[in-house]
Amino acid sequence: MQSSLFVFVVEVLACAFGVQGAVLRSQRSGQEPDTSCGKGFDNLVKGSQDYYATAAVELWSHPYHTMDNATFEQELQCWFASMCTAKCGGLPSQADSRKDELTTKCKSVSSDWLKIWNLFSTDEVKWFKTAFPSAEIEDEKSSIVYKQAMETMKEINKKELLCLTLFTIDDECVKYKYIRLGGK
């Protein structure tokens, strides 16, 4: 009798936990999906993924930042996928007017992020500030940032991030399989 009571209690508990799991799964599926990374890097076409791979090698050439493209790979891929999914905000390529200067400054060890930032058009600045998936959350007690890892990557690799953004826009939001650097 005691063993059948024990089996009954175990079955009731198992059903209760099963119901809780189903409730949690249904609540999670009811939440809005996180679209801050666009449709996701793994869902981009192979040509776009190849473009990112070449850009990550070419643009992370500063001796102090050569491994940062691997350290922040998920965050960089997130931003790249977001740009591709949004088709770079519909921004036009300015490759003809700035590709050579952009290449020189991005590959230079002596150029800082501000020199790259100054190459952004007004529309590109506006788009970057609204589209980049990191924002400060207002809190009276502390400074909290939504997507803190993205914010950290942006602060540590600001020059390279801005270069990646402009090259992606200037290459017509990844019209080509590989990054196209300027000739000078």
Side-chain angles (χ1 to χ4, degrees):
M1 172 113 168
Q2 284 183 338
S3 64
S4 63
L5 180 62
F6 176 75
V7 170
F8 176 73
V9 169
V10 168
E11 287 177 358
V12 168
L13 288 175
C15 288
F17 286 122
V19 169
Q20 277 185 323
V23 169
L24 285 173
R25 282 190 298 278
S26 70
Q27 287 173 348
R28 183 174 22 170
S29 66
Q31 293 176 351
E32 291 294 319
D34 181 7
T35 58
S36 60
C37 297
K39 60 183 178 180
F41 186 80
D42 292 337
N43 293 321
L44 295 177
V45 296
K46 176 134 176 50
S48 295
Q49 292 177 1
D50 291 345
Y51 180 95
Y52 170 80
T54 62
V57 170
E58 291 291 339
L59 299 177
W60 271 261
S61 58
H62 190 283
Y64 299 149
H65 293 276
T66 55
M67 293 306 296
D68 287 356
N69 61 353
T71 303
F72 295 106
E73 183 176 45
Q74 285 184 331
E75 292 77 17
L76 291 163
Q77 288 178 347
C78 172
W79 172 236
F80 183 76
S82 176
M83 286 192 294
C84 290
T85 302
K87 299 190 183 344
C88 298
L91 294 165
S93 171
Q94 295 185 38
D96 293 339
S97 63
R98 72 174 169 207
K99 183 70 82 153
D100 291 338
E101 182 181 8
L102 179 63
T103 300
T104 301
K105 289 181 178 180
C106 287
K107 301 285 274 176
S108 170
V109 178
S110 61
S111 292
D112 64 1
W113 70 269
L114 195 53
K115 289 184 170 85
I116 309 304
W117 186 246
N118 289 333
L119 294 175
F120 276 65
S121 70
T122 305
D123 289 338
E124 290 167 340
V125 168
K126 198 180 307 178
W127 179 74
F128 181 82
K129 287 183 175 183
T130 58
F132 189 77
S134 168
E136 219 173 289
I137 297 172
E138 297 298 324
D139 186 348
E140 295 174 10
K141 297 177 185 173
S142 65
S143 177
I144 301 172
V145 176
Y146 170 72
K147 296 267 187 202
Q148 184 63 53
M150 294 295 287
E151 184 67 19
T152 301
M153 180 272 297
K154 181 176 81 172
E155 291 306 314
I156 292 174
N157 290 276
K158 194 175 285 187
K159 175 185 171 186
E160 291 82 2
L161 174 68
L162 297 175
C163 288
L164 175 65
T165 302
L166 287 184
F167 271 104
T168 303
I169 292 168
D170 286 351
D171 286 341
E172 300 174 53
C173 210
V174 193
K175 181 178 177 181
Y176 308 97
K177 191 173 179 178
Y178 302 102
I179 189 170
R180 296 183 324 155
L181 299 173
K184 292 182 182 174

